[in-house]
Amino acid sequence: MGAAVFRAFRNFNLENRAEREISKMKPSPAPRHPSTKSLLREQMSHHPEIQGEVARKNDKLLSLLKDVYVDSRDPVSSVQVKDAGTRQEPKEFRLVKGQDFNMMSIKNIPKGKISIVEALTLLNNHKLYPETWTAEKIAEEYCLEQKDVKSLLKYFVTFEVKIIPPEDKKAIASK
């Protein structure tokens, strides 16, 4: 329904609007290269003093130009600068904590990083046992920076699913 209404507004008075746009005065295009040459020749013939001004050398500017010294060297490519300036140190890896969820594709993780499963595990451990799993212990256990762990614990939480039984049925006891 909405598309039909929109189409009606879009097509309203279409022919008149198109005719008005077509009948507008078009701007004159910029001159092309060959015509510019002929226009320049015409202007030079009308004003011969321009020709003398263009051909005349300015001694003051020439003397200033003689004082300029240009020393040119090939620029160093940015790739070479990066390679020479920053050498990457060999990365340190750590083994994955726990082999849950068939994580055969991940063999080792760089220090300072964690996998999704590890993140969920440490968030859940902190939620269940906050006295035991403090930010300091998590940072030490997973080789992370303490400020990153504090931010992780502050801004991320795991979902908790609660099943609320209807009023007329008995609640099923969890095992």
Side-chain angles (χ1 to χ4, degrees), residues 4 12-13 28 40 42-43 48 71 86 100 111 124 130 150 172:
F12 176 74
N13 203 12
S28 61
L40 282 175
E42 182 182 322
Q43 287 296 323
D71 186 17
T86 57
D100 304 7
K111 286 191 175 183
N124 195 34
K150 286 182 181 177
I172 299 173

Side-chain angles (χ1 to χ4, degrees), residues 2-173:
V5 172
F6 180 72
R7 192 176 310 113
F9 277 115
R10 186 182 62 203
N11 293 338
F12 176 74
N13 203 12
L14 183 66
E15 290 87 12
N16 289 341
R17 288 185 287 140
E19 183 64 35
R20 194 176 333 134
E21 193 66 31
I22 291 170
S23 65
K24 279 185 183 176
M25 290 257 320
K26 304 295 185 276
S28 61
R32 301 196 183 269
H33 186 66
S35 64
T36 306
K37 282 185 179 179
S38 64
L39 286 174
L40 282 175
R41 274 191 234 114
E42 182 182 322
Q43 287 296 323
M44 292 297 221
S45 66
H46 287 9
H47 305 284
E49 67 273 3
I50 294 175
Q51 181 66 32
E53 193 67 30
V54 169
R56 187 176 60 84
K57 293 183 181 180
N58 192 334
D59 294 329
K60 181 180 176 187
L61 292 177
L62 283 175
S63 65
L64 290 174
L65 189 59
K66 288 179 183 176
D67 295 337
V68 175
Y69 175 74
V70 178
D71 186 17
S72 177
R73 294 190 185 102
D74 287 339
V76 179
S77 70
S78 60
V79 176
Q80 292 173 350
V81 171
K82 286 181 184 176
D83 291 344
T86 57
R87 265 193 83 201
Q88 291 184 351
E89 297 180 16
K91 292 183 178 179
E92 295 182 28
F93 291 95
R94 63 176 180 79
L95 295 175
V96 179
K97 303 279 184 202
Q99 292 297 324
D100 304 7
F101 305 109
N102 194 12
M103 294 176 41
M104 295 299 166
S105 61
I106 301 175
K107 301 292 183 206
N108 48 26
I109 297 175
K111 286 191 175 183
K113 307 217 184 252
I114 55 174
S115 68
I116 299 289
V117 175
E118 290 175 332
L120 292 173
T121 304
L122 72 88
L123 286 170
N124 195 34
N125 287 344
H126 177 72
K127 183 178 181 180
L128 296 175
Y129 312 105
E131 306 86 22
T132 308
W133 288 94
T134 61
E136 293 80 19
K137 181 176 180 184
I138 292 171
E140 181 182 325
E141 184 77 20
Y142 290 96
C143 303
L144 300 170
E145 291 188 26
Q146 195 167 350
K147 66 178 181 73
D148 294 337
V149 174
K150 286 182 181 177
S151 296
L152 183 73
L153 296 177
K154 181 178 178 183
Y155 295 110
F156 291 92
V157 292
T158 55
F159 290 111
E160 184 176 334
V161 178
K162 291 186 179 181
I163 300 173
I164 302 172
E167 301 273 336
D168 58 343
K169 293 187 180 179
K170 284 186 171 179
I172 299 173

